[in-house]
Amino acid sequence: MSVKNKQIINSEDEIVDLVRGLTFFGTGGGGKPEDGIRALKECIYENLEISWVCPNDIPSDSWACVVFGMGSIAPSKIINESPFGPVQRKIDLPMVEAVKELEAFSGVKVEVIVPFELGGSNTPRAMSAGYHLGAKVPDGDLCGRAVPELTQTLAALRNIPVLPVVIVDNWGNVIILKDASNFSTIEGIGKALSVISKSSDPSATCAHAAHLVRFGELRSSIVKKSISRSMELGKTIRETREKGEDPIKAVCISTGGRLLFRGNVVEKKWKNKKGYMEGSMKIVGVKEFQSRNFSIWFKNENHMAWEDAKPVCMSPDIISVVSEKEGEPITNTLVAEGQGVCVIGVPNILYRNQKGIEVLGPSHFGFSEEYIPFE
């Protein structure tokens, strides 16, 4: 439901639609969608309004911060005891506590919570934190997709102050980072702490609260309407399936993207590397892609795609894997050998500039290919 420039959802079906769309734009990363669905359903149970507003309607002098979880999305066995000692959950909503710690440290009241990125878990849990804190959530995020590194947001590209950063996890660890040499150092510290937080339970949250600035300073770095766009995409996929029509075609029309490949996953290799899930998958073509091969390289999110060894799509453009029959987005945590999938590419216009390609293009990830817009 839309009220002027405010959109409100109040049903579990709408929550699932929203998270489905967010998962697609998570490009294989962005966290587990089931976690995002759970976070927003709990808001309904607690009678909290799930809504987002047009960024232009938020007063420029409002204090805002960006909230996000950090760490590898790799599946792993829960061992209940980390190499750093026994652990017991003490904090259920670490993103909320991170903001409260940031408020206490800085002496200001946060009025706006901005999602760091789009993703099935990272966006809904940031939104949930906003609702629990009584803060506004704008219709937008800092990337228009999911990214693996703090240095890759539009706010980072525009040098919006990130410090101080507060980090809180489920185990009660609280860290306030007051100063650091650069963005990359902050990213490295956060990822190192996420390894500790997730060492006993990969589902644990290493929550960050950062970019504490007046909203007017952050507004130009927000990808506007990205949440409502995700909502519309998720709804489109569901309604298309219900009509018995082709969800893959519907996704391409809705996003302005195109089908890159259709086939079966025959190999998936990955490893946990310095707080990231890094790996690749191979897909053998079916139907119109019969006798062709496709491969994807990911670092949490999908960043490089080749057909028969020729690059066909690369970050900063969006590479999303969905189930072949239902068009349901699949994260790299859950992609499995034997699955029938489609790969869809979507242009990411906001990053098609020198800085955007430097931080999110092929060379940043160690590839020699020159960035070429996939279309």
Side-chain angles (χ1 to χ4, degrees):
M1 178 177 68
S2 180
V3 180
K4 293 185 178 179
N5 289 329
K6 180 180 184 179
Q7 188 163 355
I8 304 170
I9 61 175
N10 49 28
S11 76
E12 294 189 3
D13 285 344
E14 289 176 314
I15 287 173
V16 174
D17 286 344
L18 171 61
V19 173
R20 179 182 298 115
L22 291 168
T23 303
F24 178 90
F25 288 113
T27 69
K32 298 177 182 177
E34 58 266 33
D35 292 343
I37 291 170
R38 185 183 309 112
L40 292 181
K41 283 184 176 180
E42 288 173 355
C43 290
I44 287 183
Y45 304 152
E46 296 176 36
N47 295 314
L48 298 173
E49 180 183 272
I50 301 175
S51 63
W52 50 92
V53 298
C54 175
N56 292 336
D57 292 343
I58 298 175
S60 295
D61 61 353
S62 302
W63 281 104
C65 80
V66 178
V67 182
F68 52 98
M70 187 176 279
S72 172
I73 64 168
S76 184
K77 185 172 67 174
I78 298 174
I79 59 176
N80 295 321
E81 183 173 336
S82 82
F84 308 101
V87 290
Q88 183 175 359
R89 285 183 180 253
K90 297 180 180 179
I91 298 176
D92 292 329
L93 298 172
M95 289 189 180
V96 172
E97 295 305 316
V99 176
K100 289 181 178 179
E101 292 283 352
L102 183 59
E103 290 177 327
F105 177 77
S106 61
V108 305
K109 175 63 179 176
V110 172
E111 303 162 277
V112 186
I113 296 295
V114 180
F116 175 85
E117 64 183 0
L118 298 184
S121 173
N122 237 354
T123 314
R125 289 194 299 163
M127 295 168 71
S128 170
Y131 307 142
H132 280 91
L133 292 160
K136 292 183 176 68
V137 174
D139 185 1
D141 72 297
L142 298 185
C143 307
R145 52 163 292 162
V147 298
E149 301 168 27
L150 178 65
T151 56
Q152 295 164 327
T153 69
L154 294 178
L157 296 187
R158 292 166 183 167
N159 294 314
I160 303 298
V162 65
L163 294 166
V165 177
V166 175
I167 306 172
V168 178
D169 66 14
N170 293 107
W171 320 120
N173 297 308
V174 179
I175 296 96
I176 298 175
L177 182 59
K178 296 191 295 182
D179 203 0
S181 55
N182 53 46
F183 263 98
S184 296
T185 299
I186 300 168
E187 165 72 18
I189 290 171
K191 281 299 190 295
L193 292 171
S194 76
V195 172
I196 297 173
S197 295
K198 292 175 174 288
S199 60
S200 60
D201 183 350
S203 69
T205 299
C206 183
H208 288 54
H211 287 300
L212 179 65
V213 296
R214 300 286 187 178
F215 186 73
E217 189 173 354
L218 198 57
R219 184 186 280 119
S220 63
S221 297
I222 292 176
V223 182
K224 297 177 177 64
K225 298 185 178 181
S226 64
I227 295 178
S228 55
R229 182 190 188 197
S230 299
M231 177 73 183
E232 186 60 33
L233 175 59
K235 180 181 177 183
T236 296
I237 294 172
R238 173 178 57 80
E239 291 181 344
T240 303
R241 291 197 304 237
E242 291 172 350
K243 294 175 185 176
E245 298 174 357
D246 181 5
I248 307 303
K249 181 179 179 181
V251 169
C252 293
I253 293 172
S254 178
T255 61
R258 68 177 173 87
L259 176 64
L260 298 176
F261 203 74
R262 184 194 309 270
N264 297 315
V265 179
V266 295
E267 181 181 275
K268 174 186 170 184
K269 294 181 178 180
W270 62 270
K271 59 184 176 181
N272 262 327
K273 186 177 179 181
K274 297 181 180 179
Y276 306 96
M277 180 186 183
E278 189 172 308
S280 61
M281 68 183 82
K282 294 182 179 179
I283 307 168
V284 172
V286 298
K287 297 182 180 178
E288 70 267 46
F289 296 94
Q290 188 76 38
S291 302
R292 288 144 76 177
N293 296 286
F294 199 87
S295 58
I296 295 173
W297 180 86
F298 54 85
K299 181 179 180 181
N300 279 3
E301 292 78 31
N302 300 318
H303 298 290
M304 292 292 297
W306 302 264
E307 182 181 329
D308 292 333
K310 178 182 178 181
V312 293
C313 194
M314 57 192 73
S315 284
D317 291 333
I318 292 166
I319 305 166
S320 250
V321 177
V322 304
S323 60
E324 181 191 9
K325 294 182 179 179
E326 297 186 337
E328 196 71 23
I330 309 171
T331 65
N332 288 327
T333 310
L334 300 178
V335 168
E337 294 177 3
Q339 280 182 319
V341 300
C342 287
V343 184
I344 297 173
V346 178
N348 189 9
I349 306 299
L350 289 176
Y351 277 83
R352 289 184 179 177
N353 52 61
Q354 183 178 350
K355 285 187 176 180
I357 293 169
E358 281 178 1
V359 302
L360 199 52
S363 62
H364 177 79
F365 298 107
F367 293 95
S368 59
E369 288 92 337
E370 180 181 352
Y371 169 75
I372 300 173
F374 84 94
E375 68 270 31

